[in-house]
Amino acid sequence: MKHALVASDLDRTLIYSNRALALDVPDRLAPRLLSVEVHDGKALSFMTEAAAELLVELTGLAYVVPVTTRTRTQYERVNLPGPTPGWVPPYAVCANGGHLLVDGVPDVDWQNGIRERLAAESAPLREVVEHLAIVADPEWTHKRKVADDLFAYLVVERAELPEGWITDLTGWCAERGFTISLQGRKVYAVPAPLSKSAGLAEVARRTGARTVLSAGDSLLDADLLLAADHGWRPGHGELAETGWTAPDVTALDQIGVAAGEEIVRQMLARVRSAASVSV
């Protein structure tokens, strides 16, 4: 029986796009990469082959739970390495906690409970969507999206964002029960009741895990990191840029896909250690 649960954010934590790889070595010394996401016939996201091998070993010792802000459709494009071909994680949390998948199937009771909390604790999503349409200049806004009718996000030209714009938007949204997160070129507006830690807590309850580990790189991952016995954040991302730390969170120096590999390596070492103690 597995006694450990490992919950990890996906993008820029466990898996990396071409833009986020941060390969700062000569080409001939670059690590071999494994594609873990294909969309419209193109490889979009990668892990190092070493990270993939470590992850496969980890799935044999712990419940490996992807916890992502991706929608369910976006999540289903990801094909993580596992113990068997076509392996599907037994649990996954999508849409920042809006969906709990069990063997790849949405838990309807969980979804209904989330909708009730959102209605009671935050402003209607349409109000935030309308505000974004007003304040996001088309000159530097490439796309406006609503994800699973749960939250909204923009794809922007980050270098062209006006000074103070994120701060002003953060304040306006906070008054309405929404959190703002800037991740790469995306600006997320997420209802505060929609949290990764809530999904993690439910999976921990169902599995009875004694040890809970987590990893993430953005503001939307902070509660996920704090909810675990120990967490890891890479040397890049929103949390690193703001100098965010916590007593039981390891702040890595590595950035890019190398950080993803190091996270899996250290998680595996921690799970092995916990397993040896429990024997």
Side-chain angles (χ1 to χ4, degrees):
M1 180 177 176
K2 297 174 182 177
H3 299 296
L5 188 161
V6 171
S8 180
D9 173 50
L10 289 178
D11 296 282
R12 293 167 59 87
T13 299
L14 191 62
I15 67 176
Y16 291 80
S17 67
N18 275 299
R19 186 188 295 269
L21 289 173
L23 296 174
D24 57 354
V25 296
D27 290 348
R28 62 185 177 82
L29 299 177
R32 288 171 58 92
L33 300 174
L34 175 71
S35 169
V36 293
E37 179 187 13
V38 174
H39 183 49
D40 290 338
K42 297 179 181 179
L44 292 188
S45 299
F46 305 86
M47 304 174 70
T48 67
E49 287 190 349
E53 292 172 3
L54 294 167
L55 185 63
V56 170
E57 183 176 352
L58 190 56
T59 62
L61 299 174
Y63 295 99
V64 173
V65 182
V67 184
T68 178
T69 306
R70 285 180 175 231
T71 64
R72 179 186 169 197
T73 299
Q74 292 168 337
Y75 164 72
E76 289 175 344
R77 298 199 302 251
V78 177
N79 184 11
L80 292 175
T84 57
W87 174 75
V88 174
Y91 296 96
V93 177
C94 300
N96 214 68
H99 300 304
L100 175 62
L101 306 186
V102 182
D103 294 324
V105 179
D107 185 311
V108 176
D109 289 339
W110 175 264
Q111 287 177 285
N112 291 338
I114 288 294
R115 299 280 183 182
E116 291 173 1
R117 283 197 62 193
L118 295 181
E121 300 176 29
S122 59
L125 177 60
R126 65 177 180 276
E127 183 178 336
V128 175
V129 171
E130 290 170 359
H131 183 72
L132 290 175
I134 295 170
V135 301
D137 194 320
E139 288 293 320
W140 41 261
T141 303
H142 299 301
K143 295 179 182 178
R144 295 182 177 87
K145 296 286 187 178
V146 173
D148 290 351
D149 291 323
L150 291 167
F151 62 90
Y153 67 93
L154 307 172
V155 180
V156 301
E157 199 63 46
R158 182 165 176 163
E160 296 181 16
L161 289 178
E163 184 177 354
W165 185 82
I166 286 290
T167 301
D168 292 343
L169 181 62
T170 298
W172 186 93
C173 284
E175 294 174 356
R176 291 156 179 82
F178 275 69
T179 298
I180 294 297
S181 177
L182 176 61
Q183 302 178 38
R185 297 189 305 144
K186 292 182 179 178
V187 179
Y188 291 91
V190 180
L194 203 62
S195 71
K196 292 184 176 183
S197 60
L200 172 60
E202 178 62 14
V203 175
R205 184 188 69 80
R206 296 188 187 195
T207 60
R210 299 175 189 168
T211 301
V212 178
L213 307 177
S214 65
D217 71 296
S218 78
L219 178 63
L220 295 176
D221 297 315
D223 67 301
L224 179 69
L225 295 172
L226 294 173
D229 296 305
H230 195 86
W232 286 262
R233 71 156 174 82
H236 62 257
E238 199 174 21
L239 296 178
E241 290 167 4
T242 58
W244 185 92
T245 58
D248 293 313
V249 175
T250 297
L252 297 176
D253 294 326
Q254 291 92 339
I255 65 171
V257 73
E261 180 179 321
E262 186 62 20
I263 286 169
V264 181
R265 178 176 289 107
Q266 292 196 21
M267 283 182 158
L268 179 57
R270 185 67 66 106
V271 169
R272 286 173 178 160
S273 177
S276 65
V277 169
S278 64
V279 172

